[in-house]
């Protein structure tokens, strides 16, 4: 550890533990005790930072979204000049994240958690949607630029296509979990790539 690096705080350790354990076990199966054990902190430290497990979950959605934003901002596809190349590169990057990963490692905290809590915890549900929508909007910026350049007269909606990319990716994770086969997620994301290519190809022909 260099002098410029700082040790993670108890709060940060708990947030990281939540990301790991919820993706591995699900939200309801993740106890406060297991979170504290994984984070290496006391239960007193937990309740010093969070009033409840639900409060930690909401904070974890923000933690996840911020870290994901940093990851995608540093990805190589951002270096492409053509926004359509960026968009295709984004999908390829999603494929790279899946290849060689276990299901818990590559799946999304937000998609995993909202499937359990969409009805019983509106606050968690809303926090998950906010994170998913934020990322979809970031993808939507590439879509909007690509549409303006390559398909200005296409009738499809930019925001909806941004959300659709996330629907496919989240659905791919659900199917992969159902079959317990991470390669199924990769196959579905590859179909998303083909769909985007066809969408712009047909728009150019119209």
């Amino acid at each position: 550890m260099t002098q410029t690096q700082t040790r993670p705080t108890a709060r940060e350790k708990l947030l990281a533990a939540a990301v790991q354990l919820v993706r591995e076990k699900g939200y309801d199966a993740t106890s406060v005790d297991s979170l504290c054990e994984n984070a290496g902190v006391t239960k007193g430290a937990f309740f010093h930072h969070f009033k409840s497990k639900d409060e930690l979950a909401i904070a974890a959605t923000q933690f996840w979204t911020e870290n994901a934003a940093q990851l995608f901002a540093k990805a190589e596809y951002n270096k492409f000049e053509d926004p359509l190349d960026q968009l295709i590169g984004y999908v390829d990057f999603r494929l790279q994240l899946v290849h060689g990963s276990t299901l818990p490692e590559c799946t999304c905290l937000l998609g995993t958690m909202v499937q359990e809590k969409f009805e019983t915890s509106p606050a968690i549900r809303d926090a998950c949607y906010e994170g998913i929508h934020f990322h979809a909007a970031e993808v939507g910026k590439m879509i909007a630029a690509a549409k303006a350049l390559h398909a200005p007269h296409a009738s499809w909606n930019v925001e909806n296509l941004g959300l659709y990319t996330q629907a496919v990716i989240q659905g791919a994770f659900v199917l992969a979990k159902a079959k317990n086969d991470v390669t199924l997620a990769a196959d579905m994301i590859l179909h998303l790539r083909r769909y985007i290519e066809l969408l712009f190809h047909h728009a150019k022909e119209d």
Side-chain angles (χ1 to χ4, degrees):
M1 179 178 296
T2 67
Q3 291 182 345
T4 58
Q5 292 176 319
T6 58
R7 295 181 183 276
T9 64
R11 186 179 190 277
E12 290 168 338
K13 290 178 180 178
L14 285 164
L15 291 169
V19 169
Q20 178 185 338
L21 293 179
V22 171
R23 290 197 294 168
E24 288 179 355
K25 305 174 183 299
Y27 179 77
D28 289 336
T30 298
S31 66
V32 170
D33 286 336
S34 64
L35 287 163
C36 292
E37 181 179 358
N38 183 280
V41 303
T42 66
K43 192 175 287 188
F46 178 96
F47 287 107
H48 173 74
H49 292 286
F50 304 103
K51 295 178 181 178
S52 65
K53 192 174 79 165
D54 280 11
E55 185 175 286
L56 168 61
I58 293 169
T61 66
Q62 298 163 350
F63 178 77
W64 170 268
T65 300
E66 290 168 2
N67 280 278
Q70 293 176 18
L71 174 68
F72 287 102
K74 295 176 182 177
E76 290 294 314
Y77 65 80
N78 292 291
K79 296 180 181 179
F80 293 127
E81 292 185 7
D82 189 314
L84 182 55
D85 290 337
Q86 292 177 3
L87 181 58
I88 298 298
Y90 161 78
V91 179
D92 287 341
F93 184 61
R94 298 301 304 238
L95 279 168
Q96 291 173 23
L97 294 176
V98 170
H99 288 307
S101 299
T102 65
L103 273 170
E105 287 171 342
C106 71
T107 51
C108 175
L109 171 75
L110 310 182
T112 298
M113 196 154 54
V114 76
Q115 289 176 59
E116 290 186 62
K117 308 308 293 181
F118 74 96
E119 185 174 12
T120 57
S121 178
I124 292 177
R125 178 194 65 211
D126 292 347
C128 289
Y129 180 76
E130 182 178 347
I132 292 171
H133 187 270
F134 172 83
H135 186 68
E138 291 299 300
V139 177
K141 293 176 183 177
M142 290 182 283
I143 295 172
K147 184 177 185 294
L149 184 62
H150 295 286
H153 304 298
S155 60
W156 41 264
N157 180 275
V158 166
E159 181 179 2
N160 284 348
L161 182 56
L163 287 170
Y164 176 76
T165 64
Q166 303 314 297
V168 172
I169 292 168
Q170 296 290 352
F173 294 149
V174 171
L175 286 173
K177 288 176 180 177
K179 194 178 179 184
N180 195 30
D181 182 1
V182 71
T183 61
L184 185 57
D187 291 341
M188 298 303 101
I189 296 172
L190 185 57
H191 278 298
L192 173 62
R193 188 188 200 280
R194 295 186 183 113
Y195 174 75
I196 292 171
E197 289 176 326
L198 286 170
L199 196 65
F200 278 91
H201 175 72
H202 289 312
K204 290 177 183 179
E205 290 184 338
D206 291 342

